Amino acid sequence: MSSAFRFTPLFVALAATMPVAAHADEAKADGFIEGATLNLHFRNAYFNRNNLNPGVRDLREWGQGAVARFESGYTPGVVGFGLDAHGILGLKLDGGGGHAGTSILPEHIKDNGELGAAPHTFSTAGAAVKFKAFDTELKAGDLFLTNPVIAGGETRMLPQTFRGVSLTNTSIDGLLLEGGQVSFTKPYNQSGHRRIDTYYGQLADGTKSDHLSWAGLSWSGTENITTNLYAAELKDIWNQYYFDFDYTYVVNDLVSLNPGLHFYHTQDTGQALLGTIDNNTYSLHFTVNAGYHSITAAYQRVNGNTPFDYINLGDSVYLDNSRMYSDFNAPNERSWKLQYDYDFTGVGIPGLSTSVSYSRGEADLTKAAQSDYYGYYNADGKNAMHWERDLDIKYVFQEGNLKDLSVLLRYASHRGSQGYADIDDNSDNDEVRVIVDYPLNIF
């Protein structure tokens, strides 16, 4: 995709998928109020990172989040109108200045430059207008987005949103076409918006990317096969392309095999505000499911002298070895993972599940790009190695007043060699997260 990629062609391409003639039931809209929903989501999050590297602080914070989301139906007619609105509130339950900085609460920088205690509360609100004609939906405003090239962070206390426009089409069963453009993001630990940027790249003072544009398709219309193809342009920084393919082969009623591939290509574009980027990153997995057990083996490779980079604070890292602490995405890194999952329904405890994994990576950092843009990786480690052990235990209440409430306990232990510690002074740590989710449907 050239630097000429803009949002307008997305409308043209997606609009072309709309049927010429109206469906017989197109005027039977649910109604603005009749089709409306209101959902509340409460999340209690505790984050504790015990840093074992000399001179590095331990991090510990605890908070309560609440998200209210109203989604209207559509007014009747060929073109229906609707409105989505949300309110987000975060409360600090614990987190002094000496232990702040876990990322679930806002960071407060004191006058002396040190990190102080987070504020006791933070909040935000937003809305998006929407229009629907046939099977095509347009939204403009504050958006919740989830796809391989732009996905709002959902793993902390509160969700991330983006400000811009999006367009989706579902005319063909099993096929989702989408595109859009966003310029600002509301991170999960802030009240206000900021320009969209990248996680690892260091832009020169006064420079910024105006927006990110994307287009893609997701196919699930073939039994046991899913595939996605996306392209994105972060203006004057990169063009990024993504492809995945996932197949499930059913051996019998108990056993199935699941191979899959994720692939990203990232190339600098326009003014190349982060310098030269030419990065191919992929991961391969193979999962054996047997009854209530599953075992996964994965291999991941970063081919490039810059890290695999993505939207700041987002979850657009659709790679098999993206773990709780590390994404195993350093320049020229090779990594593998072995994971075991068990559903305790097999022993009469529905709702209880667990996952345990071990991941290991090695990178030749002497080849990392020596520039101010990705200076984070300017290290001397030829054999920079690190590993991570992860354990998740989750229980979802199945009935009663607490139905759908879930409790997730996460533990990770990460260690790095001296070469790896040169780029990450937090590399040796033990981390505990406890997340309690309670979703409520009001109407």
Side-chain angles (χ1 to χ4, degrees):
M1 181 174 59
S2 72
S3 59
F5 173 83
R6 294 294 183 267
F7 183 68
T8 302
L10 299 177
F11 274 108
V12 176
L14 291 178
T17 66
M18 295 172 54
V20 176
H23 293 301
D25 60 349
E26 74 174 20
K28 297 180 181 178
D30 292 332
F32 187 92
I33 298 299
E34 294 82 356
T37 61
L38 176 62
N39 293 289
L40 303 180
H41 190 161
F42 299 96
R43 172 172 286 183
N44 188 281
Y46 173 76
F47 187 120
N48 186 321
R49 179 179 295 163
N50 178 23
N51 282 306
L52 305 177
N53 301 81
V56 181
R57 303 179 309 133
D58 291 340
L59 305 178
R60 183 175 65 249
E61 289 180 320
W62 181 29
Q64 174 65 53
V67 180
R69 293 183 64 176
F70 169 81
E71 297 183 4
S72 78
Y74 285 95
T75 57
V78 175
V79 178
F81 168 79
L83 177 70
D84 293 346
H86 67 267
I88 297 175
L89 172 67
L91 305 174
K92 182 180 74 173
L93 302 179
D94 183 37
H99 296 283
T102 69
S103 76
I104 67 170
L105 298 175
E107 292 186 353
H108 169 63
I109 307 299
K110 298 189 291 186
D111 292 339
N112 61 5
E114 295 182 356
L115 189 62
H120 290 283
T121 64
F122 63 106
S123 61
T124 189
V129 295
K130 58 185 181 181
F131 303 89
K132 189 171 185 179
F134 308 106
D135 299 310
T136 299
E137 183 179 54
L138 169 68
K139 291 185 178 182
D142 294 302
L143 309 172
F144 293 86
L145 298 172
T146 302
N147 66 54
V149 291
I150 179 168
E154 297 279 354
T155 57
R156 299 301 197 270
M157 186 175 74
L158 294 171
Q160 180 182 15
T161 61
F162 299 92
R163 181 164 290 173
V165 292
S166 71
L167 189 67
T168 59
N169 178 272
T170 55
S171 293
I172 301 174
D173 289 341
L175 178 65
L176 168 69
L177 299 174
E178 66 165 315
Q181 184 181 94
V182 296
S183 298
F184 297 91
T185 177
K186 198 290 296 178
Y188 46 67
N189 61 348
Q190 289 183 201
S191 295
H193 287 75
R194 58 191 253 187
R195 278 283 180 182
I196 195 165
D197 58 354
T198 79
Y199 192 86
Y200 293 97
Q202 303 296 318
L203 287 171
D205 291 342
T207 63
K208 62 183 182 295
S209 176
D210 289 335
H211 54 253
L212 181 140
S213 306
W214 80 95
L217 63 86
S218 177
W219 173 252
S220 59
T222 304
E223 186 176 5
N224 297 330
I225 291 177
T226 60
T227 188
N228 294 275
L229 180 63
Y230 279 79
E233 179 197 41
L234 185 56
K235 189 174 185 297
D236 289 322
I237 294 182
W238 71 47
N239 290 330
Q240 190 169 76
Y241 309 90
Y242 173 83
F243 171 75
D244 70 30
F245 182 84
D246 200 85
Y247 173 63
T248 300
Y249 174 71
V250 179
V251 179
N252 54 43
D253 291 341
L254 290 177
V255 178
S256 64
L257 308 177
N258 169 224
L261 161 72
H262 303 268
F263 175 80
Y264 285 92
H265 172 67
T266 309
Q267 184 82 43
D268 61 89
T269 186
Q271 298 181 44
L273 297 179
L274 286 180
T276 300
I277 302 173
D278 186 5
N279 186 293
N280 292 309
T281 298
Y282 65 88
S283 65
L284 300 163
H285 71 259
F286 187 81
T287 300
V288 179
N289 300 290
Y292 300 100
H293 308 262
S294 70
I295 297 176
T296 299
Y299 175 76
Q300 185 168 301
R301 176 70 191 273
V302 180
N303 286 308
N305 295 331
T306 57
F308 168 73
D309 203 356
Y310 48 90
I311 297 304
N312 200 5
L313 301 179
D315 285 342
S316 50
V317 193
Y318 284 39
L319 296 169
D320 290 297
N321 291 358
S322 177
R323 311 308 298 150
M324 188 165 124
Y325 178 78
S326 177
D327 291 320
F328 292 87
N329 62 330
N332 302 293
E333 180 163 9
R334 296 179 175 87
S335 61
W336 59 268
K337 177 188 73 176
L338 189 63
Q339 179 172 319
Y340 171 72
D341 297 271
Y342 183 70
D343 182 347
F344 283 82
T345 303
V347 292
I349 312 178
L352 180 63
S353 60
T354 187
S355 176
V356 60
S357 66
Y358 176 83
S359 309
R360 187 177 185 87
E362 179 177 343
D364 181 0
L365 296 175
T366 62
K367 297 180 180 179
Q370 304 293 305
S371 71
D372 294 334
Y373 309 115
Y374 286 104
Y376 180 81
Y377 283 98
N378 293 347
D380 296 326
K382 183 173 180 60
N383 297 302
M385 294 180 290
H386 63 130
W387 57 261
E388 180 172 336
R389 290 193 299 256
D390 293 87
L391 171 65
D392 286 4
I393 301 174
K394 183 176 183 179
Y395 181 70
V396 182
F397 286 83
Q398 303 294 293
E399 56 187 4
N401 293 332
L402 297 181
K403 188 177 186 298
D404 296 328
L405 184 146
S406 66
V407 180
L408 172 63
L409 171 64
R410 309 194 72 189
Y411 172 79
S413 183
H414 184 274
R415 301 290 185 271
S417 68
Q418 183 58 48
Y420 189 82
D422 285 343
I423 65 167
D424 183 5
D425 58 6
N426 295 312
S427 62
D428 291 358
N429 62 72
D430 297 319
E431 191 170 301
V432 175
R433 302 183 192 182
V434 182
I435 299 172
V436 180
D437 282 304
Y438 192 26
L440 286 174
N441 175 250
I442 305 302
F443 59 78

